């Protein structure tokens, strides 16, 4: 599933193709991809709206339109593709927006878990989300205070979108490794220095992911190369770049977790 850097990459790559264009028609090929509103209302409302901005909140891609917000959650296999309008649609296109420049924006989603919203105010959708880890307002002191209020294992808490927005399995494992923290450490036992290290590692790893256009570990995320720079993720059995010990893989909360048993002591 794409995480913060992959969605940020989508928002940046789509910007020149979408901003300033008007949606002149829309077709829905799989109604359940639409979370809201219903198909007829969606088509009536979106037709004629200009696209003003592309952006991201957590793992949601959001397009600001003239009157509304168009929001995508790509989940397991969702993809957004620009192509000439006359090109034949793909079998897995769930939604196609016709643009005023003769191109189409297709929401392509073979596994059908992705969702699309057209809303006048996105805050209802985002209200449960925690802070953005790359926001200027998100400080190490805030992270420390939030960790102190939970008595949970570190890795599952980092994946909890109400605790912190946008971090998923890859970037949690890489951040914990860089901060030298064990994924099963209890959050309320961490020191202020450890919280500071985690805060710095999260920002460093997420920014590096964005700089490398995300990680192309499955077919959706074209062009990203952060997967070539993983220190622990999917490196089970290979030597730690810091100490040479074999990277371990364990399952925590049904998610595979990768860490160095020497560098990341509990
Ligand atoms: Zn190590």
């Amino acid at each position: 599933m794409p995480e913060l850097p992959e969605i940020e990459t989508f928002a940046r790559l789509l910007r020149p193709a979408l901003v300033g264009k008007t949606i002149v028609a829309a077709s829905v090929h799989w109604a359940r991809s639409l979370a809201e509103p219903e198909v007829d209302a969606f088509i009536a409302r979106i037709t004629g709206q200009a696209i003003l901005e592309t952006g991201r909140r957590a793992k949601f891609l959001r397009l600001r339109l003239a009157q509304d917000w168009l929001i995508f959650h790509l989940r397991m296999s969702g993809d957004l593709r620009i192509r000439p309008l006359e090109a034949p649609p793909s079998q897995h296109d769930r939604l196609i927006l016709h643009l005023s420049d003769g191109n189409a924006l297709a929401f392509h989603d073979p596994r059908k878990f992705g969702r699309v919203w057209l809303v006048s105010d996105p805050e209802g959708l985002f209200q449960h989300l925690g802070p953005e880890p790359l926001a200027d307002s998100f400080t190490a002191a805030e992270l420390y205070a939030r960790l102190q209020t939970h008595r949970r294992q570190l890795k599952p808490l980092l994946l909890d979108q109400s605790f912190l927005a946008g971090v998923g399995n890859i970037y949690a494992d890489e951040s914990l490794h860089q901060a030298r923290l064990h994924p099963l450490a209890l959050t309320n036992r961490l020191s202020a220095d450890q919280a500071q290290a985690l805060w710095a590692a999260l920002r460093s790893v997420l920014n590096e992911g964005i700089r490398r256009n995300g990680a192309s570990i499955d077919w959706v995320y074209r062009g990203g190369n952060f997967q070539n720079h993983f220190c622990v993720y999917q490196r089970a059995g290979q030597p730690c770049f810091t100490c040479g010990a074999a990277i371990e893989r364990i399952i925590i909360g049904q998610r595979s977790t990768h860490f160095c048993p020497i560098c990341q002591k509990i």
Side-chain angles (χ1 to χ4, degrees), residues 233-256:
Y233 189 77
Q234 289 187 344
R235 292 195 66 246
Q238 297 178 48
C240 171
F241 294 126
T242 304
C243 74
I247 301 299
E248 289 188 5
R249 175 179 179 273
I250 56 175
I251 303 294
I252 304 175
Q254 299 171 326
R255 307 297 299 274
S256 63

Side-chain angles (χ1 to χ4, degrees), residues 177 180 232 239-247 259-264:
H177 179 69
R180 302 178 72 90
V232 289
C240 171
F241 294 126
T242 304
C243 74
I247 301 299
F259 69 103
C260 172
I262 302 300
C263 294
Q264 297 170 260

